[in-house]
Amino acid sequence: MLVAGHAGAVDLFNGKDFTGWELQTTPAAPLESVFTLLPDGVIASTGQPSGFLATTASYRNYRLHVEWRWSGKPGNGGVLLHISPGAMDRVWPVSLQVQTKKGSVGDLLPMSSYSFAEPPTSAPGAAPVIKAHTAADSELPAGEWNSADIVSRDGTVEVTINGVAQNKVTRATPASGRIGFQLEGAPYELRRVTLTQLD
């Protein structure tokens, strides 16, 4: 469904059910036991079991807008870009994670065999590999709605958190794939998850 904001923006959740999405968790769980549709277009997640919710469609060049907030105690989570087939890192697929973990919002993490050109800011050999956000922390207080605006174009990914440019990588590989949300134990809510295809 088309939404206001950017011309051509499409809401990735249809507001009625989870058509176009699939859940992968360990242990396996039914999608409806983990995610619930609330009034006003809000999607609530229990944050567990560990795994991720992903679109069934793949995307390459796009602008993605996501709003999220912690519904309880702030914890760990992330938006996954370019989810692709390949060997997983425990429950995590080949993907680029835009971190939403409290205190680290806007960090970029190459998951499994994912790669980009820029050197990480984490120590050599440390796990996970992290490219930390570059501006002062722009996360809002717990319980308030945060926004992430992500532009992905031909392997360049730029991340803006609450209007503040926070990270950028180039030669991101793979440069396309599915889009998803992590489950790392903390309940959270989503809304206004929209995607605009770029030429």
Side-chain angles (χ1 to χ4, degrees):
M1 128 177 116
L2 291 175
V3 294
H6 293 290
V10 174
D11 197 325
L12 294 183
F13 291 97
N14 65 21
K16 298 175 293 186
D17 57 29
F18 290 99
T19 299
W21 294 86
E22 58 187 18
L23 183 69
Q24 185 167 339
T25 60
T26 304
L31 195 159
E32 291 74 15
S33 72
V34 180
F35 286 88
T36 306
L37 295 171
L38 301 180
D40 302 318
V42 174
I43 300 101
S45 173
T46 61
Q48 52 193 341
S50 295
F52 60 98
L53 179 72
T55 59
T56 54
S58 291
Y59 304 93
R60 182 174 177 89
N61 293 342
Y62 56 84
R63 177 184 291 108
L64 176 67
H65 176 83
V66 174
E67 297 183 14
W68 84 95
R69 69 178 177 186
W70 300 108
S71 47
K73 183 179 178 181
N76 201 349
V79 181
L80 300 179
L81 310 177
H82 307 163
I83 298 170
S84 299
M88 295 177 63
D89 177 6
R90 293 160 296 153
V91 298
W92 310 125
V94 177
S95 58
L96 178 63
Q97 179 190 168
V98 178
Q99 183 72 270
T100 59
K101 178 181 178 181
K102 181 171 174 58
S104 303
V105 175
D107 289 1
L108 290 175
L109 286 69
M111 311 294 284
S112 186
S113 60
Y114 201 90
S115 66
F116 47 73
E118 289 70 19
T121 54
S122 50
V129 174
I130 298 170
K131 183 180 181 293
H133 61 281
T134 54
D137 192 357
S138 56
E139 182 182 7
L140 298 178
E144 294 188 25
W145 286 102
N146 291 279
S147 67
D149 287 283
I150 300 160
V151 176
S152 174
R153 189 192 291 274
D154 297 332
T156 296
V157 178
E158 299 176 82
V159 176
T160 299
I161 303 296
N162 295 319
V164 178
Q166 285 288 11
N167 224 325
K168 178 180 179 179
V169 292
T170 60
R171 300 208 302 272
T173 305
S176 65
R178 299 187 296 153
I179 292 169
F181 298 95
Q182 282 188 306
L183 302 164
E184 291 202 72
Y188 60 86
E189 295 177 346
L190 299 168
R191 70 178 184 184
R192 298 176 184 161
V193 179
T194 65
L195 184 138
T196 307
Q197 297 272 15
L198 302 176
D199 295 334

